[in-house]
Amino acid sequence: MGWTLTHEGSAFVNFRHFDFAEPRPHAHAFRWLDVKHFALPGRAASATDRDLLAALIAHEQFRDDYAGGGVDPEGTRHGEYWLRCVTPEAYEPIGRDRATLLLRTWADQHGPLPAPLSEALRSEAYDALAAADAVHHLDGLGEAEYHDWASVHGEFHELVLINHGTGRLTLLVAADD
């Protein structure tokens, strides 16, 4: 491969920072969307999606347990899984519409969202989904690959968006913990 992705920045949408019309105890308190943006190097123009997924998995920013510890360059966990178990083959190609439905179903599961939260999700996730050339869903792993405290997440959804036109790869992680 001979190249790496460049981390351009991150965003974090925490549902607890938004006012909901009807209080729903604990329904929104521990829900969030983490977004990480990466630039594709010019030499990656002919890279396959599998190559790009491998570059993402190799990146330091991928070493995040999403349980409050943040990125750990020496980390052994990624979300619910042991990092060593996450491979490009664990991702399935998924259409933009199906990926959007997955994210909307997760976000809206407890009822209507406040307009500012809906806007934050649109600008951080749905717009990028709509523009992606390819979307991949981490769906090829199961309980056998869970790390020792994986049960901290109630739901864990991971999407990788590839946009060759903008030269960007975006990692979306939506979870409840």
Side-chain angles (χ1 to χ4, degrees), residues 36-60:
K36 293 180 181 164
H37 299 288
F38 300 87
L40 304 177
R43 295 188 319 246
S46 62
T48 66
D49 286 4
R50 182 168 284 186
D51 293 336
L52 296 173
L53 290 167
L56 174 64
I57 293 165
H59 200 283
E60 178 180 285

Side-chain angles (χ1 to χ4, degrees), residues 19-69:
D19 293 324
F20 286 81
E22 298 176 28
R24 294 179 187 94
H26 308 294
H28 303 292
F30 304 104
R31 300 175 71 220
W32 46 263
L33 174 73
D34 188 89
V35 183
K36 293 180 181 164
H37 299 288
F38 300 87
L40 304 177
R43 295 188 319 246
S46 62
T48 66
D49 286 4
R50 182 168 284 186
D51 293 336
L52 296 173
L53 290 167
L56 174 64
I57 293 165
H59 200 283
E60 178 180 285
Q61 288 291 316
F62 196 76
R63 288 162 176 68
D64 194 330
D65 58 29
Y66 296 102

Side-chain angles (χ1 to χ4, degrees), residues 110-135:
H110 297 292
L113 300 178
L117 176 55
S118 292
E119 175 58 23
L121 293 174
R122 183 200 58 75
S123 69
E124 296 299 340
Y126 299 128
D127 286 353
L129 270 166
D133 299 319
V135 181

Side-chain angles (χ1 to χ4, degrees), residues 14-177:
N14 191 333
F15 281 41
R16 79 171 79 182
H17 295 156
F18 296 89
D19 293 324
F20 286 81
E22 298 176 28
R24 294 179 187 94
H26 308 294
H28 303 292
F30 304 104
R31 300 175 71 220
W32 46 263
L33 174 73
D34 188 89
V35 183
K36 293 180 181 164
H37 299 288
F38 300 87
L40 304 177
R43 295 188 319 246
S46 62
T48 66
D49 286 4
R50 182 168 284 186
D51 293 336
L52 296 173
L53 290 167
L56 174 64
I57 293 165
H59 200 283
E60 178 180 285
Q61 288 291 316
F62 196 76
R63 288 162 176 68
D64 194 330
D65 58 29
Y66 296 102
V71 173
D72 178 2
E74 303 301 318
T76 59
R77 294 173 181 88
H78 174 76
E80 301 176 304
Y81 306 106
W82 290 112
L83 181 62
R84 70 180 181 273
C85 298
V86 183
T87 65
E89 293 74 28
Y91 290 85
E92 70 165 334
I94 182 175
R96 288 188 304 247
D97 291 343
R98 192 169 142 221
T100 301
L101 179 62
L102 173 79
L103 193 57
R104 282 193 194 282
T105 300
W106 168 80
D108 297 341
Q109 67 183 303
H110 297 292
L113 300 178
L117 176 55
S118 292
E119 175 58 23
L121 293 174
R122 183 200 58 75
S123 69
E124 296 299 340
Y126 299 128
D127 286 353
L129 270 166
D133 299 319
V135 181
H136 296 272
H137 178 224
L138 180 60
D139 195 38
L141 297 172
E143 290 183 21
E145 290 84 9
Y146 283 173
H147 60 67
D148 49 344
W149 41 269
S151 62
V152 70
H153 297 110
E155 285 191 46
F156 183 85
H157 303 286
E158 180 171 321
L159 299 167
V160 177
L161 320 177
I162 299 170
N163 187 324
H164 290 284
T166 61
R168 179 179 264 187
L169 181 146
T170 301
L171 173 63
L172 299 177
V173 173
D176 306 49
D177 56 25

Side-chain angles (χ1 to χ4, degrees), residues 1-19:
M1 191 164 46
W3 48 264
T4 59
L5 301 173
T6 302
H7 181 244
E8 291 185 317
S10 301
F12 189 77
V13 179
N14 191 333
F15 281 41
R16 79 171 79 182
H17 295 156
F18 296 89
D19 293 324

